Amino acid sequence: MLERPLSSICVHRPGKYLPKAEYSKGGPYRVHGSNSIMGTHTSYLYPGPMTVLARIGSKCGALAWEPNPAWINNNASVLCAREGTDSRWLHMLLSTLNMDEFREGSGQPFIAVKALMNAPVVVPSLVEQQRIAGVLGAFDDLIERNLRLVRTMETLGDTLLSLASAGGDVQRLEQSCDIIESGKRPKGGVRGIASGVPSIGAEFINGLTPFAFEKTKFVPSDFAAAMRRGVLEDMDVLVYKDGGKPGEFFPDVSAVGRGYPFGHMVINEHVFRVRAKEAIGQGYLYFWLHSPAMLQAMKEIGSRTAAIPGMNASNFGALPIRVPTPEAKAICTQLDLYLGACLELLAECRDLAAQRDELLPLLMSGKVRVSEVEGSLP
């Protein structure tokens, strides 16, 4: 297979400015900004399928797959496959490029599109492109299926929570928990520590969503071994306890366990580790703390702090929890099963993504042919 310039297989198209008021109204079409979905709109700019490129800003070089019509704002752009090139394969090819090579500027970094479009790439036949996209796309499809199941179980869990909490007495959260504690990191922080024990900070507390493994931070193994608080256990519920701009606090809740995201891990000082009493269970605790009412209550507490917004163990522990009645024990058990199943599905997503990412450069470079791996697909 011969190398060709990227411009021979795709077209670069710019985004177009859309006022915030327009994409805040809603609509059927997603609005892409620099590495994020900004909102939705009633019109689209390009029909898709396409790869969205974060063109300007700190996230420049980030890529997103958009199979549907969408609006692309002016700090992003799109790369669309030319005739004879498979769009999904193109997206996968782009993800193998080192975008830092095309990054310029310091104050406001940007992607040098001309240099990017001149980048040499190896291009197989259209049939081979489609076979590669089919193999790698199978991993993405399984990951998306798992994430849909997680969202479904979260919805079911919210419904079961309302049943389990009906008729229960209200007490302080600290009365219903055995553990409310935070962890720590070494003095001077963790910059430059590339291995050891994963340390989870507030930026990773985001419901039951895929963990950003590429941003993992570590503490030295001997430091973690000496920690007496903040060492995580199976089915721990985690709460974003403090951080952000003065007067702005956006709490969130997550959970870890079943080997996800790691087998052994700790938390830093900005996260609470919470374990309920056995009669309540971790499933009930997660869905209770993650409910809109409790997130709002935490936000109100945390936003009162003048300097660093957030909660301490005292005002967090004073939050209310409705204790499930003995008759709701079976429902609490089901909530535990739901939470455990969600974590197992997320662990499977992690493993599928690792397999896909290992195959991606091998298939793209031609070092491995599709026929060699088809029998080992999930």
Side-chain angles (χ1 to χ4, degrees):
M1 292 183 286
L2 298 176
E3 287 188 341
R4 296 159 54 182
L6 181 62
S7 59
S8 68
I9 60 171
C10 74
V11 177
H12 175 263
R13 293 174 177 161
K16 184 177 180 180
Y17 175 69
L18 187 69
K20 184 176 181 179
E22 291 297 316
Y23 59 76
S24 300
K25 295 177 181 177
Y29 305 110
R30 286 185 286 207
V31 177
H32 286 265
S34 184
N35 198 35
S36 67
I37 304 295
M38 304 171 68
T40 56
H41 189 43
T42 54
S43 300
Y44 64 85
L45 187 62
Y46 298 119
M50 55 196 163
T51 295
V52 181
L53 169 68
R55 190 175 56 84
I56 298 174
S58 61
K59 303 288 187 179
C60 70
L63 302 170
W65 171 245
E66 177 54 80
N68 302 310
W71 190 281
I72 313 300
N73 219 342
N74 60 318
N75 54 358
S77 56
V78 298
L79 295 162
C80 301
R82 292 185 184 275
E83 186 176 355
T85 302
D86 184 85
S87 294
R88 198 165 186 180
W89 173 87
L90 173 63
H91 174 73
M92 295 168 181
L93 171 70
L94 291 167
S95 69
T96 67
L97 300 181
N98 181 6
M99 289 295 176
D100 287 342
E101 295 180 0
F102 313 107
R103 188 171 172 140
E104 297 183 2
S106 52
Q108 179 77 314
F110 62 93
I111 293 296
V113 173
K114 185 176 181 179
L116 172 62
M117 298 302 285
N118 285 331
V121 293
V122 176
V123 184
S125 68
L126 177 58
V127 171
E128 187 69 7
Q129 291 175 31
Q130 292 168 338
R131 293 181 71 193
I132 292 172
V135 167
L136 297 174
F139 288 94
D140 292 332
D141 293 342
L142 285 171
I143 291 170
E144 182 54 37
R145 181 209 64 180
N146 282 0
L147 295 179
R148 285 197 302 269
L149 287 172
V150 169
R151 292 191 290 268
T152 298
M153 280 191 278
E154 283 194 283
T155 301
L156 291 172
D158 292 338
T159 301
L160 289 181
L161 175 70
S162 63
L163 297 175
S165 60
D169 294 331
V170 176
Q171 61 181 222
R172 292 164 64 97
L173 181 64
E174 60 189 5
Q175 295 175 279
S176 297
C177 292
D178 289 328
I179 296 174
I180 298 176
E181 65 182 26
S182 56
K184 62 180 181 178
R185 283 181 177 167
K187 290 183 179 179
V190 296
R191 185 185 298 274
I193 301 176
S195 63
V197 177
S199 175
I200 295 178
E203 66 272 21
F204 295 112
I205 310 304
N206 187 27
L208 296 175
T209 58
F211 188 86
F213 288 96
E214 70 280 3
K215 298 180 181 179
T216 302
K217 296 180 175 63
F218 298 90
V219 295
S221 297
D222 56 348
F223 181 88
M227 289 177 63
R228 296 292 176 262
R229 298 163 61 88
V231 179
L232 298 182
E233 299 178 15
D234 190 46
M235 298 280 281
D236 272 349
V237 174
L238 306 183
V239 178
Y240 174 5
K241 65 179 283 287
D242 59 45
K245 299 177 181 179
E248 294 183 6
F249 181 56
F250 302 97
D252 212 333
V253 179
S254 189
V256 297
R258 301 299 191 265
Y260 185 82
F262 305 97
H264 179 44
M265 51 198 153
V266 297
I267 52 175
N268 71 7
E269 64 275 18
H270 302 294
V271 178
F272 279 134
R273 168 187 172 234
V274 191
R275 292 197 72 87
K277 294 186 179 299
E278 186 177 352
I280 293 175
Q282 293 301 97
Y284 184 94
L285 177 66
Y286 171 79
F287 286 102
W288 177 267
L289 291 177
H290 197 251
S291 65
M294 290 304 296
L295 290 174
Q296 180 61 33
M298 286 186 266
K299 181 178 180 180
E300 291 174 0
I301 291 173
S303 298
R304 296 174 193 154
T305 308
I308 300 176
M311 305 175 289
N312 55 40
S314 178
N315 55 31
F316 175 71
L319 288 167
I321 183 171
R322 189 173 292 278
V323 181
T325 64
E327 291 76 21
K329 181 175 178 58
I331 301 178
C332 290
T333 299
Q334 190 65 44
L335 287 171
D336 282 341
L337 293 173
Y338 277 3
L339 181 59
C342 287
L343 293 170
E344 289 170 3
L345 286 166
L346 289 170
E348 185 175 318
C349 289
R350 173 200 61 201
D351 296 341
L352 288 167
Q355 294 176 56
R356 177 203 62 203
D357 294 344
E358 183 179 358
L359 276 175
L360 177 61
L362 298 174
L363 289 171
M364 288 296 176
S365 65
K367 293 179 180 178
V368 172
R369 302 303 296 268
V370 173
S371 58
E372 298 176 53
V373 299
E374 283 179 320
S376 60
L377 294 178

